[in-house]
Amino acid sequence: MKVVILAGGFGTRLSEYTDSIPKPMVPIGKKPILEHIMGIYAKYGHKEFYVALGYKGEVIKKYFQNFETDWKINVIDTGPGTYTGGRLARLKEHLSNDTFLLTYGDGLSDININDLIDFHKGHKKMVTISAVRPPARFGSLSLDGSNVKKFKEKTQLGESWINGGFFVINPDFFKFLKGDDTVLEKEPLEKVTNLEEIKAFRHEGFWQCMDHKLDKDHLEKLLLEKKAPWLK
């Protein structure tokens, strides 16, 4: 399947890096997070990528110009101020009216892509979204008055699910994308939810979005200690 990666945002919460490079090019180890994301898909045989560029897209173009791999990488300018749904809409002509994979340019996971696809094929709905448990940003305490009964270091929160990216989408979804100012996560996904045309693939394993420097440092640490779940 073709893989769409939304890589055009401004990454303002990582301004230590994104003043000079786009967020998907922020390195984890020696490779940009974008390349790590591509590796997740390539591991399962999905090697045809469509990268939707926006902010500082020329940095991504330059990186992949002489990139030696058997991956087929298409970098496509989708406008500097375009929103997520608008970026996807601009790629319609490249996706050949086929079901495709979609994710964001800032999240890593050990999700099994082919299990995700099998789940999508099984329920026959328009969209599959991956549901993940958000990592807690701080350690949690269980208190009895001022007495600490339990301390738990940062782990994943057990009580809630969030959108983890890693979608499978049928081409008829494009009818919900109206223009550059369409936000994927608002009207389009809300509409397919109301139509009961979306299912959630629950992923209980590792997932981490790189929103802040703390997140980048955590991913770097996992890589350095050879404990990076997305590489296994």
Side-chain angles (χ1 to χ4, degrees):
M1 279 189 184
K2 294 177 178 178
V3 182
V4 174
I5 303 177
L6 300 175
F10 292 100
T12 50
R13 287 176 291 186
L14 261 175
S15 58
E16 305 97 319
Y17 303 96
T18 55
D19 282 347
S20 57
I21 60 174
K23 188 178 181 183
M25 292 303 292
V26 173
I28 303 298
K30 295 180 180 178
K31 300 176 182 177
I33 191 169
L34 178 58
E35 190 176 340
H36 285 279
I37 294 166
M38 290 174 165
I40 295 168
Y41 286 98
K43 180 166 62 174
Y44 293 98
H46 307 284
K47 301 179 181 181
E48 185 174 352
F49 300 98
Y50 292 81
V51 185
L53 305 180
Y55 174 70
K56 294 192 180 294
E58 67 278 0
V59 178
I60 297 176
K61 280 183 181 176
K62 186 175 180 182
Y63 184 81
F64 288 113
Q65 245 171 10
N66 300 306
F67 193 71
E68 294 187 8
T69 180
D70 64 338
W71 303 352
K72 183 179 179 183
I73 303 170
N74 305 274
V75 287
I76 299 157
D77 185 7
T78 53
T82 309
Y83 290 92
T84 47
R87 293 194 191 285
L88 178 56
R90 287 195 181 207
L91 295 181
K92 182 179 179 181
E93 64 183 282
H94 300 281
L95 300 175
S96 307
N97 211 33
D98 294 326
T99 298
F100 60 93
L101 305 168
L102 170 72
T103 198
Y104 304 104
D106 62 357
L108 295 173
S109 179
D110 61 355
I111 189 168
N112 185 309
I113 300 297
N114 287 342
D115 284 353
L116 175 70
I117 293 168
D118 288 344
F119 175 79
H120 179 80
K121 289 177 178 176
H123 64 62
K124 296 180 172 57
K125 299 291 186 180
M126 194 183 301
V127 175
T128 292
I129 186 172
S130 61
V132 300
R133 298 191 188 279
R137 195 166 292 282
F138 306 100
S140 63
L141 298 174
S142 177
L143 301 179
D144 178 10
S146 63
N147 297 320
V148 178
K149 291 297 185 182
K150 188 177 181 182
F151 176 85
K152 197 167 185 181
E153 189 44 271
K154 292 179 284 188
T155 56
Q156 287 186 305
L157 298 174
E159 67 274 11
S160 59
W161 296 89
I162 63 170
N163 166 20
F166 299 98
F167 297 84
V168 189
I169 301 178
N170 292 350
D172 42 350
F173 180 70
F174 279 105
K175 66 189 174 191
F176 298 108
L177 306 176
K178 302 303 183 186
D180 284 355
D181 60 351
T182 302
V183 178
L184 176 70
E185 301 78 11
K186 290 188 178 178
E187 192 172 297
L189 287 177
E190 288 169 2
K191 278 191 173 180
V192 294
T193 300
N194 291 336
L195 292 169
E196 298 183 352
E197 279 293 329
I198 185 170
K199 289 278 192 179
F201 178 84
R202 295 188 183 213
H203 176 61
E204 297 272 8
F206 173 83
W207 177 88
Q208 178 68 59
C209 186
M210 189 182 65
D211 274 338
H212 302 273
K213 187 176 183 300
L214 280 175
D215 303 325
K216 172 185 157 52
D217 293 344
H218 175 58
L219 292 169
E220 289 264 2
K221 186 171 183 284
L222 289 173
L223 192 67
L224 185 65
E225 295 175 352
K226 301 191 186 323
K227 295 178 181 176
W230 66 93
L231 294 178
K232 294 177 182 176

